[in-house]
Structure formats: structure tokens, C-alpha cells
Amino acid sequence: MTRTSGANGGGGGGGGQSGKLPRKRFYRARAHSNPLSDSHFPIPISPDDFDLSQHYPRYYPADKGERGDEEVEAPLIRFADVGCGFGGLLVGLSPLFPDKLMIGMELRDKVTEYVKERVLALRASNPGQYDNISVVRTNSMKYIPNYFRKAQLSKMFFLFPDPHFKEKNHRRRVISMQLLDEYAFVMGVGGIIYTITDVEELGVWMRSCLEKHPLFEAVPEEEIEVDPVVKLLSTATEEGQKVARNGGQTFQAIFRRISLQDE
């Protein structure tokens, strides 16, 4: 069952089942959206109402008999890319973690449609691959608990989020003490939050929030150096590639979900 007040926007430019990648120029949108505004798209009432058959048909076929062994439990989503943009990180992560289901969460309708078409095209041209990634149009600042159960996620990504420079708009930032409470709820102990930005002030802000929160601690530098995910933070996305082309600097904060005795 879903709560809904409208429908997803459409797109164009081909792609999808044909195996041809969609063209971004047909899906361009504003760089950022207001996360506090009321948008219109379906929202699951609870994680159990999130229809995964639309996203991962290989693992959740519409006809459940197609899976064969009914005793085999389908995997849960373990990675979430919040504000996934055009899906570059998902595409980069998919072959690195082929046994992990991942989802991108994006507020802009045209961008979401582009990622859907991109994933379908990749699946069509690479049979057996990219079945573990998908995208959903949603507002992650409002509805994270509607999609994920307690302790379900092992990785969350926040790559080049909107800096919301004006102080009055800091409440719109996707990393805050209040939102970290929600992220901590859906993350399992040992799970990792990855953040990166090219705005120093925002980088300081995100690191400060994570350092202050009792359920997160910084991942040691020696672990970061051998984590295969870290390189993708600055190379896999359109934003990261743009920063690199312009010789810009980036600021990372990578923290682990920890446990408290009284939790």
C-alpha cells in the first residue's frame, strides 16, 4: 500500500529496454530542489509496503513463482545513495558489490527518469549485470523510515549535496543532528556514512554534525585508504568529475555507525 498525491514525471530521449543509454540533455533539471516543499509521488506507508518488484525483478519477480525455491529469502536493500543525481555512483558500485541491492533516492523527477532509463539500458546491454541497482523518486529528508527497516542499511552516501549557503536555509541540509538520528535508525552497527563536498564550509558542517552525534565515529584513515568505495566518491558522479576538471578541492567525512549500551 502506498500514500500518494500525484504521479511521476515523464522523460524522453530513448534508452531503456533497447540497450541504448538515455541522453542527459532530455532530462536536465535544476541542480537542486527544495527538500521542504511538498512534491507529488507515491510514498510507501512502511518498508513492508515498498514494492521491490518494480526495482529488482530478478530478485522480486511480479510472479513469485518465477523465483523457484520459495524457501530462499530475497535480499534487502543495503546501500542507499541519497540525492543520487544521474546515478554514476550506483553504476560504479554495482559490479563492486554484485550481491548487494542498492537504491538511489532522488527528488527531481526528470533526473529520476533518466536514472531509470540508464539502469534499464545497462541491464539490456549487459545481461546478468546491474540487476542490483535502482532508483526511486522521493524526499529522503522526510521519508527515510518509510523505505528501510531498523538496522537495514550498511552504507549511506551523501555526495555533493546542496550546500544551502544562507543560514536560514541550513535546516534544508541533508546532514543535520536531527536527520542523523533517522539515518542511525536505519543503519546497522558497523555501517558507514560517506559524505563529500567541494564546499569547505559544508564539509566542516557535515563533519561537525557527525562528530557530535553519539552514534557515529570517524573511520580511521588507514581503513579509508583501503576502502574501494572511497575513490568513487570523487570520480563516479557528474559533480565530482566537474570538480576534478576545474582543479577543485573536496572535503570528505566518513563515519561508522556505532552502538551505545543503552540503545
Side-chain angles (χ1 to χ4, degrees):
M1 182 177 182
T2 57
R3 178 171 68 243
T4 181
S5 55
N8 284 358
Q17 302 290 353
S18 69
K20 293 177 64 176
L21 289 173
R23 291 171 286 179
K24 286 182 184 175
R25 64 189 178 93
F26 290 106
Y27 300 86
R28 287 293 176 185
R30 293 178 59 186
H32 301 288
S33 297
N34 179 1
L36 302 185
S37 67
D38 290 325
S39 300
H40 304 287
F41 40 76
I43 304 296
I45 298 299
S46 73
D48 289 338
D49 294 307
F50 185 20
D51 184 6
L52 296 179
S53 67
Q54 299 180 25
H55 298 275
Y56 311 100
R58 174 179 171 183
Y59 301 96
Y60 294 86
D63 180 358
K64 293 184 179 181
E66 294 178 14
R67 288 193 63 222
D69 187 354
E70 295 294 329
E71 300 301 316
V72 177
E73 186 174 353
L76 297 175
I77 296 170
R78 296 301 182 186
F79 297 0
D81 182 8
V82 178
C84 68
F86 290 100
L89 179 66
L90 293 170
V91 172
L93 288 171
S94 179
L96 286 180
F97 301 92
D99 61 336
K100 302 291 185 184
L101 297 192
M102 319 172 193
I103 196 153
M105 312 183 82
E106 176 58 51
L107 184 56
R108 296 166 294 173
D109 56 349
K110 288 184 179 180
V111 177
T112 304
E113 289 301 319
Y114 172 86
V115 179
K116 288 180 181 178
E117 294 294 328
R118 183 179 187 180
V119 171
L120 289 174
L122 286 168
R123 290 175 180 175
S125 58
N126 301 275
Q129 299 182 54
Y130 302 103
D131 293 315
N132 61 331
I133 59 175
S134 188
V135 65
V136 63
R137 185 184 179 212
T138 193
N139 187 335
S140 58
M141 291 181 66
K142 292 183 177 181
Y143 302 119
I144 280 280
N146 295 66
Y147 291 91
F148 309 117
R149 303 170 187 171
K150 182 178 180 180
Q152 177 175 332
L153 298 179
S154 60
K155 293 186 187 294
M156 294 187 74
F157 301 91
F158 302 85
L159 276 54
F160 301 97
D162 190 334
H164 293 294
F165 289 107
K166 295 181 180 179
E167 186 173 351
K168 68 177 183 179
N169 290 334
H170 285 181
R171 63 197 176 100
R172 299 180 182 178
R173 288 180 168 177
V174 75
I175 296 291
S176 68
M177 296 299 289
Q178 178 181 353
L179 288 170
L180 284 174
D181 288 343
E182 295 201 4
Y183 304 154
F185 176 80
V186 298
M187 292 194 77
V189 172
I192 299 179
I193 276 186
Y194 299 82
T195 76
I196 187 172
T197 179
D198 60 327
V199 179
E200 184 174 9
E201 187 272 332
L202 178 61
V204 171
W205 166 284
M206 293 193 292
R207 177 173 290 276
S208 176
C209 289
L210 285 158
E211 287 176 340
K212 292 175 183 176
H213 200 284
L215 291 177
F216 292 96
E217 68 176 11
V219 174
E221 191 63 35
E222 56 268 24
E223 289 186 37
I224 292 175
E225 290 176 356
V226 298
D227 186 340
V229 170
V230 173
K231 183 179 179 181
L232 291 177
L233 303 184
S234 56
T235 62
T237 68
E238 186 177 69
E239 294 87 348
Q241 292 163 10
K242 187 184 301 181
V243 172
R245 285 196 303 269
N246 295 331
Q249 186 176 4
T250 58
F251 307 90
Q252 299 179 0
I254 302 173
F255 279 68
R256 178 179 287 113
R257 168 72 158 88
I258 60 174
S259 178
L260 295 179
Q261 290 183 351
D262 58 349
E263 188 180 351

